[in-house]
Amino acid sequence: MPAELTPEMMLGAYAAGYFPMADEADPDSLNWYDPDPRGILPLNGFHLPRRLRRTVLSGRFAVSVNTDFPATMRGCAAPAPGRETTWINTPITRIFCALHEMGFAHSVECRLDGVLVGGLYGVALGGAFFGESMFSTATDASKVALVHLVARLRLCGFILLDTQFGTSHLTRFGGEEIPAADYKATLARAVDMQPRWRDDLDTDMIENEIRHL
């Protein structure tokens, strides 16, 4: 990663439709991506399977936001079955932790008996949330974090949840790929909005929103 790269430059890249990933061949490097088509998860078209709905509402996991952003990033970077390598290197961790301190990067965490067992993180800019990565060491933990994220974004009036690429995993929740031109038109409207993220949403409001997904 170039030494001159700053959190402000990272935000400018997101606003223009680019996102970073480390080059596995060079652990200190960073590549920029602007895929066409682009993966999104429509906030008004989110599909919540019945079994997962029961798990989310059961209270099995204690869900929080922004209580341990660095640990959530470490969980996302840790090797896992089918993901033995990671694009989250030390420079990326450093820049995203800086964005978190500035109030732009956020984490959703799931705990069992006080232990962090899953979560996700991303960047909020205006009415857009750029999902970066998620992890799970307990069944359904990352999915529960995703459901809570979607409920929170809907309540806060976000209009874009960027997933970067489309995947079969996200398709089951309503994820889709759209032309880059359509994505950037929505992106332009989203980043022009006033900041939407809130940490202080009432848990009853979130639960009620989940029941309506």
Side-chain angles (χ1 to χ4, degrees):
M1 180 183 295
E4 67 272 13
L5 184 63
T6 65
E8 291 79 8
M9 292 171 64
M10 185 74 80
L11 293 175
Y14 275 111
Y18 294 87
F19 60 87
M21 295 179 70
D23 185 344
E24 293 179 4
D26 182 354
D28 292 322
S29 70
L30 180 147
N31 294 326
W32 294 97
Y33 294 85
D34 180 18
D36 188 3
R38 186 69 165 244
I40 65 166
L41 192 55
L43 292 169
N44 291 326
F46 184 78
H47 172 66
L48 178 56
R50 290 183 179 179
R51 184 194 64 79
L52 181 58
R53 183 193 304 271
R54 290 194 296 270
T55 299
V56 175
L57 295 174
S58 71
R60 178 183 178 221
F61 296 99
V63 182
S64 58
V65 297
N66 290 333
T67 63
D68 201 337
F69 185 87
T72 303
M73 283 205 73
R74 289 194 299 270
C76 290
R83 192 191 66 196
E84 283 68 33
T85 59
T86 180
W87 57 268
I88 304 172
N89 60 11
T90 298
I92 282 184
T93 300
R94 186 181 306 117
I95 201 80
F96 276 95
C97 285
L99 287 170
H100 173 66
E101 292 297 323
M102 295 168 63
F104 290 102
H106 306 282
S107 58
V108 180
E109 309 109 2
C110 287
R111 291 179 173 83
L112 277 176
D113 300 322
V115 178
L116 184 65
V117 294
L120 58 82
Y121 77 94
V123 172
L125 191 59
F129 189 90
F130 307 91
E132 283 297 321
S133 187
M134 59 176 60
F135 83 100
S136 181
T137 59
T139 301
D140 290 334
S142 62
K143 297 174 186 175
V144 170
L146 176 62
V147 173
H148 272 260
L149 173 69
V150 168
R152 182 174 293 273
L153 297 182
R154 284 165 55 105
L155 285 168
C156 291
F158 280 74
I159 64 172
L160 177 63
L161 174 48
D162 177 5
T163 65
Q164 300 177 347
F165 302 103
T167 68
S168 57
H169 172 69
L170 291 172
T171 298
R172 64 185 297 198
F173 297 106
E176 60 185 45
E177 291 185 318
I178 62 173
D182 293 346
Y183 166 80
K184 290 185 177 179
T186 302
L187 174 66
R189 291 193 293 113
V191 299
D192 196 42
M193 298 169 71
Q194 291 296 314
R196 296 277 170 161
W197 181 271
R198 289 176 54 192
D199 280 356
D200 61 348
L201 289 180
D202 183 79
T203 55
D204 289 338
M205 290 176 58
I206 295 175
E207 181 175 313
N208 186 61
E209 188 68 20
I210 290 171
R211 292 184 185 279
H212 287 86
L213 289 176

